[in-house]
Amino acid sequence: MRMKILIARMNHETNTFSPVATPLEAFGRDGPCYGEDAYRENAGMRTAMSAFIDAAEREDAQIITPISASANPSGRVAAAAYDAICASIVEAADGCDAVMLDLHGAMVAENSPDGEGDLLERVRRVLPHAPIAVSLDLHANVTQKMIDHADVIVSFKTYPHVDMYESGEHAARLLLDQMHGKARPVIAWAQPPLITHTLRSATAEGAMKRAVDAARAAEGEDGVLAVSVLPGFSLADIEAPCISVVVVANGERAKAQGVANRIARQIWNEREGFVYRSAPLVHSISEGAQLARATDKPVLLLDHGDNCMSGGTCDTTDAFEEALKQGLDGIVVGPLCDPQAVAKLFAAGEGATVTVGIGNKLASVASRGKPPLEVTGVVRALTDGEYIISGPTYTGQRAYMGRAAVIETPKACILVTERTHEPWDLGVFESVGIDPRTARFLILKSRMYCRPVFVPIAGGLVECDSRGVTSSDYGLFSYGNLKRPVYPLDANVEY
């Protein structure tokens, strides 16, 4: 008989300090994709769910794809949205021989502090004996429930994430080996009391690179099937948004635990390497101005304090204002999220000269009651805000910025959108008629994902902390659920 495999996707990184709402409609263009649409959204793409589909099709399995739900990072997921997504998966599980789930791992819902763990617990209740494989984002906040209710867990090993497909491929291979009697996966994990900074989780350098290198080396050891290092997502006010090491071994839990403990100890010994301390914004913008004097290429000013893919509002104007204050020109900035400003620019029409207040409209740690930034300029473009991502992240997928408008002032071209949007691709700007290569300065609401496509066209890069809801200064945030002590918030932490 053909195997029946459930394959689904539920992705959301929750910033509990973000005021950006996360209703069901946030998961996709106008909500999740279901059934055949969920299959089509992932088949032939580069997500972990894509790899699951490919693996199942090679097995000639019957594939059930109840839902594909992915939303940009934002505030807590609405209870109704979480319940609807979980119900789609759980209700489809009955009668399945195996489950492959493409999960982020850092979801917090209004009614669940452990979105993935609670989902896995429910799936396991329906299928007490069927193997469950999970692919996680590198920034997952691993919990005991996730460990208890999955047979296989594999995370990305790259940040920026360019191995989503490969992580799914790895997880699927281990699950199928289990089903064919070739392996007996067991999971162990370790979690030092360390909340990391996202800017110290880039896998090409520093302590994080050394941790991932250790994970890859351990996968070459006899009996070790997969090793994942997950720095976690620290902007979640949960008990332990900490770094984790998850190891899958072949039948030897003691072996798995030993590897997890060894790499966790290495991480703890290098804990300072996972801490990022921001320079004052005025210094960062000044550094960018100096870099521009030595290059004819754009200088990237990355406003990571209001970073889209960590739950930023994308409507703070601090970095842009400081650039104007210091006399910078030739600026391209965006996408800035401001549906009200977009409506006014559409009402004015292309070619119109208009004065509009942009940004600072969502109450957050960064806005501090600031009024919108008033700018006067010419409306240069009005579009539906859609384009196809050329890669390397989410290659081939259609991106949705909501309606998009460009207003040009004497010193800047400002891209304003209805939705928060990560600058994954040059298409963010090219789709609205802006050539980012001709800018003198590119102010992007990004931390890392822009780098594979924008660094190659740039003459320099400066990280700018605008003190938004994704700031690296954890002193801006009030943690109420975090288990203390934890490094680096506390001194004399032991592990």
Side-chain angles (χ1 to χ4, degrees):
M1 295 180 62
R2 295 173 69 197
M3 286 189 290
K4 184 177 181 181
I5 301 179
L6 186 155
I7 299 174
R9 184 181 184 198
M10 184 181 81
N11 284 184
H12 187 258
E13 183 177 75
T14 307
N15 181 333
T16 61
F17 303 105
S18 173
V20 181
T22 316
L24 188 62
E25 293 75 21
F27 289 86
R29 184 179 184 180
D30 297 301
C33 292
Y34 300 93
E36 285 298 314
D37 288 337
Y39 172 90
R40 284 191 290 268
E41 181 177 70
N42 290 274
M45 298 300 175
R46 297 294 298 173
T47 64
M49 184 168 172
S50 308
F52 292 157
I53 290 170
D54 288 347
E57 288 183 338
R58 286 192 295 270
E59 291 285 324
D60 191 32
Q62 179 185 355
I63 299 173
I64 308 298
T65 54
I67 193 168
S68 176
S70 181
N72 280 346
S74 48
R76 284 180 173 84
V77 176
Y82 178 69
D83 289 344
I85 295 169
C86 290
S88 294
I89 296 170
V90 174
E91 290 169 8
D94 190 31
C96 289
D97 299 301
V99 178
M100 301 180 185
L101 296 178
D102 178 346
L103 305 177
H104 183 286
M107 176 182 281
V108 179
E110 291 173 340
N111 55 341
S112 171
D114 182 5
E116 290 84 0
D118 287 343
L119 168 64
L120 287 167
E121 183 178 48
R122 291 177 60 186
V123 173
R124 179 59 74 198
R125 197 176 298 133
V126 175
L127 298 173
H129 306 297
I132 300 173
V134 176
S135 170
L136 293 178
D137 189 285
L138 177 126
H139 293 107
N141 288 326
V142 180
T143 67
Q144 189 63 51
K145 273 190 180 181
M146 294 161 70
I147 299 295
D148 289 343
H149 299 295
D151 296 274
V152 172
I153 293 177
V154 179
S155 80
F156 310 158
K157 283 186 171 67
T158 63
Y159 181 52
H161 307 317
V162 294
D163 66 334
M164 294 179 286
Y165 183 93
E166 288 75 11
S167 74
E169 191 174 48
H170 192 167
R173 182 174 70 253
L174 298 186
L175 178 139
L176 292 170
D177 282 350
Q178 178 181 2
M179 296 187 74
H180 294 310
K182 297 178 181 179
R184 188 164 60 87
V186 295
I187 302 177
W189 72 308
Q191 188 177 63
L194 166 64
I195 59 172
T196 72
H197 284 90
T198 306
L199 277 167
R200 287 291 178 260
S201 60
T203 52
E205 60 187 15
M208 184 60 190
K209 180 182 186 302
R210 290 186 287 276
V212 172
D213 287 347
R216 291 188 188 278
E219 286 179 340
E221 297 178 21
D222 186 47
V224 178
L225 303 177
V227 183
S228 301
V229 177
L230 305 101
F233 183 63
S234 55
L235 294 171
D237 186 16
I238 59 176
E239 182 175 314
C242 299
I243 194 166
S244 299
V245 181
V246 176
V247 179
V248 183
N250 190 12
E252 299 182 65
R253 197 173 304 278
K255 172 76 170 180
Q257 192 64 62
V259 173
N261 292 346
R262 184 180 75 220
I263 297 176
R265 177 56 56 185
Q266 173 185 322
I267 289 168
W268 183 250
N269 290 342
E270 291 196 78
R271 57 192 177 277
E272 186 61 27
F274 291 91
V275 177
Y276 179 89
R277 292 180 172 83
S278 299
L281 185 59
V282 62
H283 293 169
S284 300
I285 299 299
S286 177
E287 181 183 347
Q290 292 175 29
L291 286 173
R293 298 186 187 104
T295 181
D296 58 358
K297 295 182 178 181
V299 172
L300 301 182
L301 302 175
L302 302 189
D303 184 7
H304 64 87
D306 189 22
N307 165 232
C308 171
M309 292 308 289
S310 294
T313 61
C314 296
D315 82 332
T316 65
T317 60
D318 291 6
F320 184 32
E321 288 185 66
E322 183 60 35
L324 295 174
K325 182 179 178 181
Q326 294 194 25
L328 277 56
D329 58 14
I331 300 168
V332 170
V333 58
L336 290 172
C337 180
D338 190 333
Q340 295 167 269
V342 170
K344 185 167 184 177
L345 295 171
F346 265 78
E350 284 191 27
T353 298
V354 63
T355 297
V356 61
I358 296 176
N360 300 325
K361 290 176 181 154
L362 281 180
S364 72
V365 68
S367 61
R368 298 183 298 277
K370 287 178 61 175
L373 175 64
E374 189 172 277
V375 299
T376 299
V378 178
V379 181
R380 292 300 186 196
L382 300 169
T383 79
D384 63 5
E386 297 186 13
Y387 67 94
I388 302 296
I389 299 173
S390 60
T393 306
Y394 293 128
T395 305
Q397 292 197 25
R398 180 168 289 275
Y400 308 103
M401 300 188 286
R403 291 190 303 170
V406 175
I407 179 170
E408 183 179 4
T409 73
K411 292 184 178 295
C413 277
I414 308 164
L415 170 59
V416 193
T417 60
E418 290 182 315
R419 302 178 71 163
T420 62
H421 190 77
E422 173 70 27
W424 304 106
D425 197 83
L426 299 181
V428 167
F429 296 109
E430 291 176 340
S431 67
V432 296
I434 297 174
D435 183 355
R437 301 169 189 83
T438 64
R440 186 168 171 79
F441 299 95
L442 281 167
I443 302 178
L444 305 179
K445 296 288 190 179
S446 182
R447 192 193 310 274
M448 194 63 66
Y449 293 109
C450 68
R451 299 190 193 208
V453 289
F454 284 93
V455 167
I457 70 166
L461 180 155
V462 182
E463 294 161 348
C464 304
D465 195 342
S466 65
R467 320 288 279 181
V469 294
T470 68
S471 173
S472 294
D473 181 0
Y474 293 154
L476 295 173
F477 309 110
S478 298
Y479 289 91
N481 299 308
L482 180 64
K483 183 179 179 181
R484 309 291 283 265
V486 64
Y487 191 84
L489 299 187
D490 301 305
N492 302 318
V493 184
E494 296 183 359
Y495 176 65

